[in-house]
Amino acid sequence: AIVASLDFHHVDMLHTRFVDESLAASESDAAFRVAQHGRPAFVYVLLEHQRTSDPLMPWRLLRYMTNLWLTVLGHEPSRTRLPMLLPMVLSNVPGGWKGPRSFAEVLELDDDQLDVFAPFTPSFPFVIDDLATVSTEALQARPGPDFTRLALWMLASSSDAERVLDEAPQWSELVYGLQRRAPHDHRRAVMYLLRTVQMTEAQRKKIRKLFWMGPDRRTV
């Protein structure tokens, strides 16, 4: 329903370095402004990439959200309502996301106290794309550009060299197509894999053979 309400032909990527000095060391990964179908309004999407399960992730998201809203209000001080903001976490935590999935989970309250205090506290879940629980087949079936699906698989498998080698043949056709159509994206993807995944030289040669074709293969 959310995807259907948005117009992805009109997407702006925003600068996410917020003014607040307390957040200088924990900058958000990316934020986007997406137009809504049939409305002169935008939905803001905050995307955070996590390699570890942060026990205070909802608190971090709330700070990012507040600062993004402050930025919007700074540019449009006459606003009387805030734009919709969708917080999302892309996780490639080995074994899956173990952290909280809503803001209520980071509060020092028992379940019976939550009912009492809930009306007086922020309360929101966030969208989490837990790549550790998604199969290669499901990633290949996702809509979107080849580069995006390949990048998600690389994130999902980057901590497991054996998985990379086992599943790489399933991606080779897509990778060759990407090399022909978008060589810059192809090179970025292959270099990410070779630099991130801990592999032996023999394993690296196998990946180069599977994912790189042409006379310049040895340069990668």
Side-chain angles (χ1 to χ4, degrees):
I2 292 173
V3 170
S5 72
L6 301 179
D7 180 2
F8 291 98
H9 292 96
H10 298 89
V11 179
D12 298 316
M13 184 172 181
L14 307 176
H15 294 293
T16 55
R17 186 174 296 280
F18 302 125
V19 176
D20 189 340
E21 293 183 1
S22 67
L23 298 180
S26 56
E27 182 183 341
S28 166
D29 279 335
F32 305 88
R33 187 176 73 159
V34 188
Q36 291 183 268
H37 285 298
R39 294 188 60 198
F42 295 89
V43 169
Y44 288 76
V45 179
L46 178 71
L47 180 62
E48 179 73 8
H49 172 219
Q50 285 294 115
R51 292 185 177 88
T52 58
S53 292
D54 187 342
L56 289 177
M57 190 73 242
W59 164 235
R60 282 178 54 193
L61 288 172
L62 181 59
R63 292 189 299 166
Y64 295 150
M65 292 164 72
T66 300
N67 277 273
L68 200 153
W69 276 319
L70 285 171
T71 300
V72 172
L73 291 174
H75 286 91
E76 304 174 53
S78 62
R79 268 184 173 269
T80 58
R81 300 177 73 183
L82 297 173
M84 179 59 207
L85 203 165
L86 181 66
M88 301 180 66
V89 171
L90 178 65
S91 166
N92 65 328
V93 176
W97 180 258
K98 301 297 191 300
R101 294 171 179 259
S102 69
F103 190 81
E105 293 179 58
V106 303
L107 299 175
E108 290 186 333
L109 293 172
D110 298 328
D111 290 342
D112 58 334
Q113 292 177 308
L114 277 175
D115 293 335
V116 175
F117 288 97
F120 311 102
T121 61
S123 178
F124 65 92
F126 54 90
V127 177
I128 181 160
D129 191 353
D130 194 352
L131 294 177
T133 65
V134 183
S135 69
T136 294
E137 292 73 22
L139 290 174
Q140 290 177 322
R142 285 195 181 190
D146 288 347
F147 178 74
T148 300
R149 288 182 281 130
L150 179 65
L152 290 174
W153 171 73
M154 289 181 172
L155 287 172
S157 59
S158 61
S159 63
D160 187 348
E162 291 301 323
R163 177 182 173 181
V164 170
L165 293 167
D166 288 343
E167 298 180 357
Q170 300 177 52
W171 293 90
S172 58
E173 185 176 346
L174 182 151
V175 170
Y176 289 158
L178 185 66
Q179 184 177 5
R180 290 190 296 270
R181 295 189 306 273
H184 178 66
D185 285 343
H186 168 264
R187 184 176 180 82
R188 282 198 301 158
V190 177
M191 291 304 295
Y192 170 84
L193 198 63
L194 293 175
R195 290 173 176 173
T196 304
V197 182
Q198 295 184 355
M199 293 183 285
T200 65
E201 186 55 34
Q203 290 172 327
R204 290 168 63 86
K205 287 181 179 178
K206 185 175 181 180
I207 289 296
R208 284 195 289 266
K209 183 177 180 180
L210 283 167
F211 281 180
W212 199 275
M213 59 180 181
D216 58 344
R217 177 184 298 168
R218 287 177 298 175
T219 66
V220 177

